[in-house]
């Protein structure tokens, strides 16, 4: 995992710049093509929009050159391309609904906020290991954010799921930020407690069972996720958090037992929730019997949206109708929850494959970072964040294509929604920061320390000072 | 921790692999069926933007698209609406197409593969693509005669050309105005549709081919008689038991004649006379003697169980399997769970009329491009042989005596030899029976085979019978064909 390289390490920042220009070019072209498809003329805002995106992401690129020169060169261009394609699609839906607000502009503002925050993450956090000091702060903040939508007054139910809060004219999905906080917490908690979770306990039938008291954290995480399922009516959020927790538990302890226990608990909890609560049943039957006319015609909680999304994807077929040539606006929430179907309609199966492959590369780069970084906390954090992106893509696109019941989550980077966009740019910021230390040429002193335990020791024995990141140079 | 991280990366990869499969499924594999779904407004709007070809009956366009100023571009209009409503169906931009609008949507919209070269030349010349014109086999005079004769009674009439299978008339009542559903205003269309759906008389049902199926009652005796003659054990002169009530084995209930009297002296009657006066006990015992399998096989040869597209879908008629003796007796007189469409009973008469050969019913005369060149023209198709020519001749003679001297006298026409069979089907305790009549004419050179059903006795109510209620309607339809 740690390779000793004789030759001078390369930062690959120029590769990043070239890829970034390509990504911005694709995004700008897509934005312009929307105008061609709808009005037979290039979208007038095409140049300012492309310039805006270039300034923002170019700025982040400069930050990387200065503050994280060894960061992964592919993540930023991919996030830019995804964000840009999403903006083009949202602009396309704006054109289809001339009387509604211009969402693409707002989304560009949110992208700016997200990219700036990613830059701040890179500037302020000089070494990701600093974050392990805030394990329990992250836990508290994470759970508060997660449960915020349940508060009367500010919690809002949209499209059946109660995963929103409203502050004045703005709506947020605090769960998007909570997922970063909780991944931080899981990583920090597990890196210090992994030994007792991994080693203590009896062996039954070849499976090493954990001790009763070690079951506490997983039970709490499980209770929280089932609570989310029942109270917020959203399988996606529930699946996301519990999935990240179980995944990281497994990575930290290497014990399949945890996965088995986790899966059993989740399936059991979901089943009980299904038998007890009407709204969970409604969601499941809208998924299983989507084409049943009685469920399709239901005014609330029916399958109209899902089926219309499928119709859109079917109309797109292999190569899509072309940007601006389809009717994605037929589907409710075509720009957020169903942007995957909207893209499928206009870009076709080919476009969706390209999109999914971009996500796959991003996730793969995240895992490569996790494997490359030398401290346990960084491994868990990077692995967790990468898995978050993968799991969220699965929950959203799986919901739209009827693999699992539909949820209220949105596709990372492409979907309209400020909270999601900001959170995902921050995730990219964190992954870039970790990848910088993963790819940075290792100092001799660190090579002598067994890699997996390095961070544990650092964290336990010598809490890092604010500027400690400098030490690793 | 690198090994579990690698495994987790594999899990993430599998999640994406699942998505690649599921998107392929949705966008490619399932796409044709999703695009064909009537609720897919994308398909509808796309099709509506194109000028749909007209549906022509006689020399009149009974369904045509007229340009309007809205997103759809064209409005579908039906004139006369209700008379052909169940044939044309309606083209709703909200609920999708039904009837012929749906069955031949590809041709009407011009997307059919059969129009490939035409589309190619449209592409080159820049001509707006237009749908094909669909000409139907329906004869407006026959349709009108059936429509008027049925009046305001619930029921259906089907008239076929026995030699070709062409559908000359197809009426289902009550009917509806397709224009009310074809409107583009969603609220209006929804209100009209809801009103029709809420109507207990079920006007949207095409009773002729696809409503709730009917018990055929005594018209089914044609099938039983055919099975008897084909078995070789019976001749029209064969003597059958014909008591007032037939004892049924394994049960204390008997099978009575409708009049409560024996069918003939010494409780005996010939097969021919049993059909002429519609003797229940004779056919009940025949049903038991032949057995359920023989009845079922003969019915199948007449088209029972066949999933027909004419190109409207005809609900398959059915004879139950694995019946016990009393049930076989009931089935022999068209009761128990025998269920038929009027189309099926017309097919029975048509097969007998056509020397025992059953032709596939068909509604399409031709599809033409807008330069009148023929795109497709269905040829008469044999579905198979129902009975031997000899049996067909014997059945014809027996059916002639039904009209000349039996229960079907009301269908007599001067100068035309009409062969027919009545039916009065009990279907529920305390409800008036369904009145049936099926016939063909002229017997020596059949031009038309017809089946009529009048639900729950129509205007005659409890007093209804096939001979009194349904036969006069059949007579008017036959007359209309003879007058052409």
């Amino acid at each position: 995992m740690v390779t000793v390289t004789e030759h001078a390490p390369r930062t690959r920042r120029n590769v990043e710049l070239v890829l970034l220009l390509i990504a911005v070019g694709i995004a700008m072209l897509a934005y312009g093509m929307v105008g061609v498809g709808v009005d037979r003329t290039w979208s007038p805002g095409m140049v300012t929009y492309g310039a805006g995106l270039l300034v923002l992401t170019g700025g982040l690129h400069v930050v990387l050159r200065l503050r994280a020169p060894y960061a992964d060169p592919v993540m930023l261009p991919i996030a830019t391309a995804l964000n840009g394609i999403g903006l083009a699609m949202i602009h396309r839906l704006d054109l289809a609904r001339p009387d509604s607000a211009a969402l693409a502009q707002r989304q560009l503002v949110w992208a700016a906020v997200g990219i700036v925050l990613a830059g701040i993450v890179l500037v302020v956090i000089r070494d990701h290991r600093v974050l392990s000091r805030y394990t329990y702060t992250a836990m508290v903040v994470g759970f508060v954010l997660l449960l915020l939508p349940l508060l009367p007054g500010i919690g809002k139910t949209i499209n059946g799921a109660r995963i929103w809060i409203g502050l004045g004219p703005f709506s947020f999905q605090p769960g998007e930020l909570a997922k970063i906080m909780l991944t931080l917490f899981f990583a920090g908690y597990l890196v210090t407690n992994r030994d007792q979770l991994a080693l203590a306990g009896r062996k039954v039938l070849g499976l090493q069972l954990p001790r009763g008291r070690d079951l506490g954290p997983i039970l709490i995480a499980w209770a929280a996720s089932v609570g989310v399922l029942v109270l917020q009516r959203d399988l996606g959020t529930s699946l996301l958090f519990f999935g990240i927790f179980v995944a990281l538990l497994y990575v930290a302890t290497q014990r399949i037992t945890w996965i088995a226990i986790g899966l059993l608990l989740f399936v059991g909890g979901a089943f009980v929730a299904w038998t007890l609560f009407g709204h969970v049943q409604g969601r499941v039957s809208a998924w299983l019997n989507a084409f049943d006319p009685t469920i399709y015609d239901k005014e609330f909680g029916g399958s109209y949206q899902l089926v219309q999304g499928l119709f859109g994807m079917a109309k797109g077929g292999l190569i899509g109708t072309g940007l601006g040539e389809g009717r994605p606006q037929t589907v409710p929430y075509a720009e957020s929850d169903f942007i995957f179907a909207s893209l499928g309609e206009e870009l076709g199966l080919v476009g969706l494959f390209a999109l999914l492959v971009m996500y796959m590369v991003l996730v793969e780069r995240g895992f490569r970072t996790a494997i490359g970084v030398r401290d346990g906390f960084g491994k868990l954090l990077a692995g967790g964040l990468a898995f978050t992106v993968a799991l969220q893509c699965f929950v959203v696109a799986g919901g739209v294509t009827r693999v699992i019941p539909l949820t209220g989550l949105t596709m990372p980077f492409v979907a309209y929604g400020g909270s999601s966009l900001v959170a995902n740019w921050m995730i990219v910021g964190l992954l870039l920061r970790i990848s910088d230390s993963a790819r940075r040429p290792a100092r001799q002193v660190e090579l002598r320390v067994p890699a997996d335990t390095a961070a544990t020791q650092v964290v336990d024995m010598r809490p890092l000072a604010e500027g400690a990141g400098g030490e690793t140079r | 921790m690198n090994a579990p991280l690698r495994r987790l990366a594999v899990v993430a990869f599998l999640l994406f692999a699942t998505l690649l499969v599921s998107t392929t499924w949705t966008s490619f594999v399932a796409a044709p069926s999703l695009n064909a779904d009537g609720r897919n407004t994308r398909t509808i709007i796309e099709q509506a933007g194109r000028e749909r070809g007209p549906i022509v009956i006689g020399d009149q366009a009974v369904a045509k698209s007229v340009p309007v100023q809205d997103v759809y571009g064209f409005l579908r209009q039906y004139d006369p609406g209700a008379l052909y409503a169940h044939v044309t169906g309606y083209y709703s931009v909200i609920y999708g197409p039904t009837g012929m609008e749906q069955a031949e949507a590809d041709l009407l919209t011009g997307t059919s593969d059969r129009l490939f070269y035409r589309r190619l030349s449209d592409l080159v010349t820049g001509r707006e693509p237009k749908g094909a014109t669909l000409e139907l086999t329906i004869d407006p005079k026959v349709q009108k005669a059936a429509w008027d004769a049925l009046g305001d009674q619930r029921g259906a009439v089907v008239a076929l050309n026995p030699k070709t299978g062409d559908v000359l008339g197809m009426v289902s009542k009550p009917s509806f105005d397709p224009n009310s559903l074809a409107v583009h205003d969603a609220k209006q269309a929804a209100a009209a549709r809801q009103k029709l759906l809420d109507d207990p008389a079920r006007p949207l049902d095409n009773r002729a081919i696809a409503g709730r199926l009917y018990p055929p009652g005594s018209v089914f005796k044609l099938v039983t008689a055919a099975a008897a003659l084909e078995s070789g054990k019976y001749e029209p002169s064969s003597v059958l038991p014909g008591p007032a009530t037939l004892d049924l084995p394994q049960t204390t209930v008997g099978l009575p004649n409708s009049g409560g009297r024996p069918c003939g002296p010494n409780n005996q009657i010939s097969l021919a006379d049993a059909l002429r006066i519609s003797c229940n006990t004779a056919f009940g015992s025949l049903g038991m003697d032949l057995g359920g399998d023989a009845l079922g096989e003969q019915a199948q040869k007449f088209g029972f169980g066949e999933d027909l597209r004419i190109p409207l879908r005809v609900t398959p008629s059915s004879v139950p399997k694995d019946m016990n003796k009393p049930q076989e007796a009931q089935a022999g007189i068209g009761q128990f769970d025998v269920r038929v469409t009027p189309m099926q009973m017309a097919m029975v008469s048509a097969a007998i009329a056509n020397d025992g050969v059953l032709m596939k019913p068909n509604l399409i005369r031709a599809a033409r491009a807008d330069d009148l060149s023929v795109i497709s023209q269905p040829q008469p198709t044999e579905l198979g042989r129902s009975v031997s020519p000899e049996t067909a001749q014997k059945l014809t003679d027996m059916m002639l005596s039904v009209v000349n001297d039996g229960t079907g006298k009301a269908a007599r026409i001067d100068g035309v030899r009409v062969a027919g069979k009545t039916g009065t089907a009990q279907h529920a305790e305390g409800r008036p029976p369904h009145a049936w009549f099926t016939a063909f004419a002229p017997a020596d050179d059949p031009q038309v085979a017809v089946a009529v059903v009048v639900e729950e006795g129509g205007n005659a109510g409890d007093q209804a019978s096939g001979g009194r209620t349904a036969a006069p309607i059949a007579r008017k339809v036959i007359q209309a064909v003879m007058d052409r």
Side-chain angles (χ1 to χ4, degrees), chain B residues 100-436:
Chain B
M100 197 59 81
E101 298 275 22
Q102 180 190 35
E104 290 294 355
D106 282 357
L107 280 170
L108 288 169
T109 55
T111 54
S112 167
D113 291 341
R114 286 174 274 180
L115 290 162
F116 179 76
Y117 292 107
R118 175 151 296 277
R119 285 216 306 278
L120 217 57
S121 76
D122 286 350
L123 205 64
V124 175
T125 59
R127 188 174 43 179
E128 279 290 309
K130 258 180 97 174
T133 300
L134 211 55
E135 294 179 7
L136 303 190
T137 57
I138 302 268
D139 183 317
K141 291 203 184 82
V142 177
Q143 182 82 358
K144 191 72 169 54
W147 174 270
D148 290 343
L150 203 50
D152 56 1
Q153 306 173 97
R154 281 179 289 127
V157 177
V158 173
L160 298 173
N161 180 336
K163 292 172 183 169
T164 60
D166 285 355
V167 180
L168 302 174
M170 186 167 84
V171 172
S172 172
K173 283 209 171 175
S175 188
F176 61 96
D177 180 7
N179 292 303
S180 68
L181 294 159
V183 292
H184 289 172
D185 184 281
K187 280 212 179 77
Q188 275 183 40
R193 179 166 175 261
Q194 200 54 48
K195 191 159 163 264
L196 291 168
L197 287 174
D198 290 344
D199 190 333
R202 293 176 287 115
L204 290 176
D205 281 11
N206 185 354
R207 291 165 153 80
I209 56 172
R212 297 182 191 165
L213 300 194
Y214 298 98
S218 299
V219 283
F220 190 76
K221 286 171 184 164
L222 290 174
V223 178
T224 311
L229 294 172
E230 288 282 282
S231 73
K233 294 195 288 182
Y234 293 91
E235 285 297 319
S237 57
S238 300
V239 173
L240 302 171
T245 298
L246 181 68
D247 284 334
L248 297 179
Q250 307 161 29
T251 164
T252 53
V253 198
L255 178 73
N257 279 331
S258 56
R261 284 194 298 270
C263 296
N266 305 324
N267 288 345
Q268 284 185 330
I269 188 165
S270 73
L271 175 58
D273 281 341
L275 191 81
R276 181 173 59 80
I277 66 163
S278 202
C279 173
N280 281 349
T281 51
F283 274 91
S285 73
L286 203 51
M288 288 193 282
D289 183 60
L290 295 166
D293 289 349
L295 280 184
E297 274 165 33
Q298 183 59 56
Q300 205 179 352
K301 287 182 185 165
F302 277 118
F304 280 67
E306 188 107 26
D307 194 5
L308 284 175
R309 315 277 153 151
I310 63 169
L312 304 184
R313 181 170 183 267
V314 182
T315 310
S317 302
S318 64
V319 174
K321 289 191 164 43
D322 301 324
M323 292 181 283
N324 60 26
K325 283 284 166 194
Q327 290 167 343
E328 284 171 355
Q330 295 275 356
I333 62 163
Q335 294 286 348
F336 185 49
D337 283 339
V338 180
R339 290 290 178 274
V340 300
T341 55
M343 172 61 76
Q344 176 60 66
M345 291 325 297
M347 285 161 69
V348 170
S349 283
I352 296 169
N354 195 34
D355 290 330
V357 175
L358 179 62
M359 303 303 291
K360 179 177 184 285
N362 164 46
L363 269 165
I364 310 276
R365 169 166 299 146
R368 290 179 194 277
D370 49 357
D371 60 1
L372 298 181
S373 64
V374 173
I375 298 161
S376 72
Q377 192 162 25
Q379 296 302 308
T381 317
E382 286 184 15
L383 275 180
R385 176 164 282 285
S386 304
V387 290
S388 69
E390 297 75 35
T391 302
Q393 189 52 51
K394 290 168 191 165
L395 285 168
T396 303
D397 290 340
M398 288 157 70
M399 287 170 77
L400 280 167
S401 71
V402 170
V403 175
N404 287 333
D405 196 19
T407 52
K409 286 178 198 157
R412 269 193 282 193
I413 301 173
D414 282 345
V416 181
R417 298 176 70 214
V418 179
K421 179 71 193 86
T422 56
T424 309
Q426 308 294 335
H427 65 101
E429 203 67 43
R431 309 282 300 181
H434 298 319
W436 275 100

Side-chain angles (χ1 to χ4, degrees), chain A residues 1 250 345 379 401 452, chain B residues 1-2 7 22 39 42:
Chain A
M1 120 216 79
Y250 167 69
E345 177 168 358
K379 281 183 184 299
T401 55
D452 273 10
Chain B
M1 277 190 266
N2 288 341
R7 276 182 221 123
S22 71
R39 295 168 290 193
R42 289 175 180 79

